[in-house]
């Protein structure tokens, strides 16, 4: 079985769309997933399963809707994919950078036209680089003050997105190793 990471968008924020991680683990067990671990309340699940990433996304989204009665977008990556993201982050040069770094996961690879359009804007001092279905972000200040939000990338790239800070990304790689 392949090790995977499911990244949920927008749960347990401001008391809305609340899902306890224990309940999420039970739900994933019912789906037949193995070796399930969750990490922090933002909805990160490490597990083993055989299906494709997109199949796993659809199955978990439907299971959450049926169980908790609200929509939660889910993005799944193979553990090896996430490890490669860490290795190629263009903004990670030293531990000093870690608090400025974020990774936005895209549901689908954006079109060339949408990438060209988004690159025509200037967002300084914040910076980003798009690589396939990932967006590497460097925020000079706090992420919540940046224009480089999930909504921004979803609107401009016309695909679903969710973001994790670099500390969380590193921990997910460690837990999935």
């Amino acid at each position: 079985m392949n090790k995977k990471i499911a990244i949920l968008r927008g749960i347990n924020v401001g008391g809305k769309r609340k899902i306890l991680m224990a309940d999420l683990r039970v739900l994933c067990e019912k789906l037949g997933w193995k070796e399930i671990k969750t990490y922090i309340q933002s909805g990160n699940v490490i597990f083993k399963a055989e299906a494709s990433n997109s199949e796993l996304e659809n199955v978990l989204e439907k299971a959450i809707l049926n169980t908790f009665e609200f929509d939660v977008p889910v993005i799944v990556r193979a553990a090896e994919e996430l490890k490669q993201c860490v290795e190629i982050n263009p903004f990670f040069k030293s531990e000093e950078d870690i608090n400025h770094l974020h990774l936005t996961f895209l549901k689908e690879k954006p079109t060339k036209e949408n990438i060209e359009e988004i690159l025509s804007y200037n967002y300084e001092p914040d910076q980003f680089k798009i690589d396939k279905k990932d967006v590497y972000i460097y925020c000079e200040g706090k992420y919540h003050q940046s224009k480089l939000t999930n909504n921004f990338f979803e609107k401009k790239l016309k695909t679903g997105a969710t973001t994790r800070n670099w500390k969380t990304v590193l921990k997910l790689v460690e837990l999935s190793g």
Side-chain angles (χ1 to χ4, degrees):
M1 285 193 167
N2 299 318
K3 202 159 257 191
K4 306 277 188 169
I5 298 126
I7 305 146
L8 285 63
R9 173 155 186 218
I11 65 165
N12 301 331
V13 179
K16 296 181 180 168
R17 297 194 321 172
K18 191 161 178 62
I19 301 176
L20 297 175
M21 293 302 99
D23 295 339
L24 184 58
R25 283 190 298 275
V26 168
L27 180 62
C28 292
E29 286 172 8
K30 288 178 181 176
L31 297 174
W33 299 358
K34 306 293 182 202
E35 297 181 28
I36 302 159
K37 295 183 234 175
T38 56
Y39 177 67
I40 65 175
Q41 297 301 310
S42 60
N44 306 289
V45 185
I46 299 114
F47 61 97
K48 283 189 173 182
E50 284 300 325
S52 72
N53 292 355
S54 61
E55 289 171 322
L56 295 166
E57 290 167 355
N58 292 334
V59 165
L60 185 53
E61 286 173 356
K62 287 176 186 170
I64 290 171
L65 179 61
N66 291 336
T67 304
F68 301 104
E69 300 180 346
F70 48 79
D71 285 312
V72 173
V74 176
I75 296 175
V76 173
R77 293 286 194 273
E80 190 58 37
E81 289 176 292
L82 195 58
K83 184 180 175 192
Q84 289 172 353
C85 288
V86 169
E87 293 169 358
I88 67 171
N89 185 334
F91 301 117
F92 185 63
K93 299 186 181 32
S94 73
E95 290 299 317
E96 294 173 21
D97 294 331
I98 200 166
N99 293 321
H100 299 280
L101 303 178
H102 304 273
L103 182 59
T104 296
F105 300 90
L106 303 175
K107 191 107 167 153
E108 299 171 8
K109 186 177 176 185
T111 66
K112 181 180 175 185
E113 295 78 22
N114 290 338
I115 292 172
E116 287 174 0
E117 180 186 340
I118 202 170
L119 293 176
S120 69
Y121 297 96
N122 181 354
Y123 305 99
E124 290 182 358
D126 299 340
Q127 302 172 54
F128 68 92
K129 298 276 188 217
I130 300 169
D131 182 53
K132 299 176 190 105
K133 294 188 340 183
D134 302 303
V135 182
Y136 299 91
I137 300 173
Y138 177 88
C139 290
E140 186 67 33
K142 302 285 185 188
Y143 175 75
H144 72 273
Q145 298 169 325
S146 175
K147 294 178 182 175
L148 304 178
T149 65
N150 290 325
N151 290 336
F152 167 78
F153 286 112
E154 286 179 332
K155 182 179 176 186
K156 298 291 184 188
L157 297 175
K158 297 180 180 23
T159 186
T162 191
T163 301
R164 297 296 185 266
N165 67 48
W166 200 244
K167 287 180 185 176
T168 297
V169 171
L170 292 175
K171 189 65 176 182
L172 291 172
V173 168
E174 177 187 322
L175 291 171
S176 66

